[in-house]
Amino acid sequence: MEKSLFRFIWKYSARQQIFILMVTVLSYPVVYFLLELPKLIVNDAVQGDNFPKNILGFDFDQIPYLVLLCFTFLGLVVVSNGLKFYLNVYKGRLGERMLRRLRFELFQRVLRFRLPHFRKVSSGEIIPMITSEVEDVGGYIGEAFALPAYQGGMLLVQLGFIFMQDPLLGLAAVASYPIQGYVIPLLQKKVIILSRKRVKNVRLIADKVGESITGVAEIHANDAAAYHSADISDRLYENFKIRYEIFNRKFLIKFLNNFMNQLTPFFFYLIGGYLVIEGNLSIGALLAVIAAYKDLAGPWKLLLSFYQMTADVSVKYQTVVENFDPKDIYDTDRLTSDDTVELEGDVKFDRVSFSGGAAGQEVMDISLTVPSGTACAIVGPDGSGRSEVLQLAAGLVSASSGKVSIGTHDLDKLTDATLGRQIAYVGGAVHVWTGTIRDNLYYGLRHRPLVPPERDSEAQKLYKRRVNEANQTMNPVYDLAADWDDLEAAGVDNETQLDEKALELLEAVKLDKDIYRLGLQSRFDPSMNDAFAEKILSVRKNLAERIANEPALGGLVELWDRDLFNASASLADNLFFAVPSDPEITMDQVPDLEEVRSFLSETGFDKKLQEIGLKIAETMLELFSNVSGDSGLLGSYSFINQDELPEFERIVRVARSGQQRPGLSDADRSRLTGLAFKLVPARHRLGVMTDELRDEVIAARKRFLDGVVKNSDNFVAFDPDVYLPPLTIEDNLIFGRARVDRRDARRRIDDVIRAIVEETGLRRPIIYAGFGYHVGVSGSRLSAGQRRRIALVRGLLKNAKITILDDIATGMTEDDKALRNGLRDILSGKTFLFGTFNADIAAEFDQQFVLDQGRISEKG
Amino acid sequence: MSLETEVEALRKVPLFHGIDETKLRLLAFISDRTEYPAGERLCSQGEEGDCAFIILSGSADVLVETPEGEKKVAEASENSIVGEIAILCDVPRTASLVAANNMDVLTVSKDDFLKLLKEFPDISLEVMRTLALRLERTTRDLAAARRGATGS
């Protein structure tokens, strides 16, 4: 990578830089003429004589001449500003493109790092380098050549003028330049060193903040917050010190510069005055020189700040780039090449040694052969070199001596395209990507875009622009919107078969039940799959019938009924008999929806709900005001949590004082209404639900359904014949609420649902719906065990010739044993390497190698 | 039924005699109100006890396993608390409870009951007093039984 910023700029934007320069030079005469014209207008047109004037063969009288000059002036203003605008946009675009190129290059280099390199760098340091640290480079690139050229030119012209007036005065004008040219870089050098220090320090801060976030549970568990606070505070102080130093230096440079600049007039007056008195210089010339010198200050100042910026940006560039140039970085080709070779044959280690850089991470002089199509266990405790051997076999790390090969191919010479597609590796520390379960399962099949999406002409145009930009900046042109799933590699013909295959594997690793449960809790869009929605509706009917006919079941659920009050559901559900179409809208936000607000005030329910909310708040305050916050009683049972208590205390006080002022604000009223909405009468027996109120709720419900829901897309009514997209699949199946006043009603009704779902063959589609479950940041919404199993299925789905598992399913439980048998079945006929610490488990395999302290100690 | 009626019922439970009303309201609020139709099990002998039952209406049969199958040994009636032993000390349920008729029950979970005791020591004191009385009575009964046994 280009070590210096200027080399980088020149290499990738020489043509554009020259173009910018040309346009800049072109604008010289325009600017010059623009400055000259006012003089011409005043001297020649207004105060001048000798009219008419002859221009290009036309005669002009005084007034037309004035008009002509003024319009020329106007035209030049337009041209010069237009040029400026054009240039600025051009420079900005160039800067952004170069920045994109730089950032992508840096990211690609991260992907090209060898795995052991990541022991030395942390994401906390890398991220700011790629994002914020190079940001300034973009703004600078457009100016890199044009500014010094333009301002330098200006400076030379002005200096030339002064020299022409009088060489001695010219010397006086430039007298301070050598001193400035010597002292300022000297000071700047110190600033550069400090800037480097600052950048590194900020990186360290970013890294520490990142680490604190990752390890936040550890911080609390060990009461180490003070230590980390002290650590960060210390770093921040360091940052302050460095910045303070930088300020001092920077302003010192400024001070010196200003001082020098104002020193020059001193010489002018002294030398110039002497010359004028002696009669060697006319007074007019002196005044002209002084005026020209004033114009000198502008370009000089700009040049100086440009110089400072250059120093600053260059050092930033260097401090970033030097981190992305490790000696052993992979070739770009390894990453981008799409050529694959067939990996057929035995896995062979020939006197392989490798060191991960620490004790317990090395293997020494290992020779082994795993015949093609067999299952082999690699046994050894952590630190025995087991994981390293398996990573070597997967081509993830390279041997420092010796050779790892499959068939006739040396793994070190193969590209990611071969290694990543034909070898499935699932290590002990799996990573689940932020996204859906489906994204994660099919991740191992997404190597290249395969089927481009269909685009209309408008979208095609946008896409073309995207591709064009990518080409301009050496970014890849892979189409993110394309279909990336490599069905052929997975051995299936279409998406449906792929889903089926994934399900098969999920069953094999016993993850199907979990996904089924997630599927029940997920929402799906019925417009995507009518048949599925139909089936859910038929199960709903089936369930309703059973509930009607079996009294034992009937007591567990209260179904939605337009004419009945549902005591196990919240007051909001009862009143609206509908749910917001957007499932993200919470109960607290509902009172603020426009249609709800107007409906409530029309029916007079707003006052009633506020009264109920007030009653609830009062009761809560009465019950819980003596309870200490840390008892945990408040959080789990009250509508109100500890933090909100004082707020509601105020609201109750204001409401009960009966005074008009200050009165309750709209927000307070909404809070009370929200509180009332959350009331579930069967659970919260606060005595606010009278029979009368029930009837009123049901009457109002009908008004809401007819008046609001029918005309608004924001609500979906509970309708037994319609699938309700905002509700989970499970809630759609039950179409009611499990009774809160019956013990275990929820669990018992779940069992019934499961049975019906199995009978009707709905289990599969529900699991597929579960594929759409969002796993949270890095799979945080899954358990560690679930994450491993998903990674395992991801590996198996690749259908690779060689499968390598490390520390997966290595328990002695019956479940794990069955899983291992299942894995051997699935992978029969393929090469299968299985890493474990347990010799008994290893005995289940055809062949085994035992590792001890990085060497093979016995062969089974 | 609302909290007020539940509080009325709780007041009749000897264990909660000396406890003032706001605390009883809190107890009622944090417990779950559940219905049991006749024949349904409230809990089974041997399983881990995670809650106590306060019977608001109806009654339950107390069943104990014997070699001849389950046998009714007692009946828990309205306004009594059952299953409180299991939530005070970690022992499995010593008997099964089956609803004899339609019941209305307040269920207090173990965690909440313990939190309540911690929060309001006077409730603890009252519970202690009741248990001590029971112990005293049991001891006396035992002594009487022993005297009877040696006397004959």
Side-chain angles (χ1 to χ4, degrees), chain A residues 821-850:
Chain A
N821 282 329
L823 286 173
R824 275 189 298 267
D825 277 349
I826 294 168
L827 297 170
S828 71
K830 292 178 178 146
T831 313
F832 178 23
L833 282 101
F834 185 87
T836 174
F837 54 87
N838 189 319
D840 292 340
I841 292 174
E844 296 170 7
F845 288 78
D846 313 340
Q847 195 191 9
Q848 42 187 286
F849 293 97
V850 180

Side-chain angles (χ1 to χ4, degrees), chain A residues 264-281:
Chain A
T264 317
F266 163 79
F267 288 112
F268 279 163
Y269 292 125
L270 195 63
I271 300 172
Y274 173 77
L275 288 176
V276 169
I277 294 169
E278 289 290 303
N280 292 337
L281 189 75

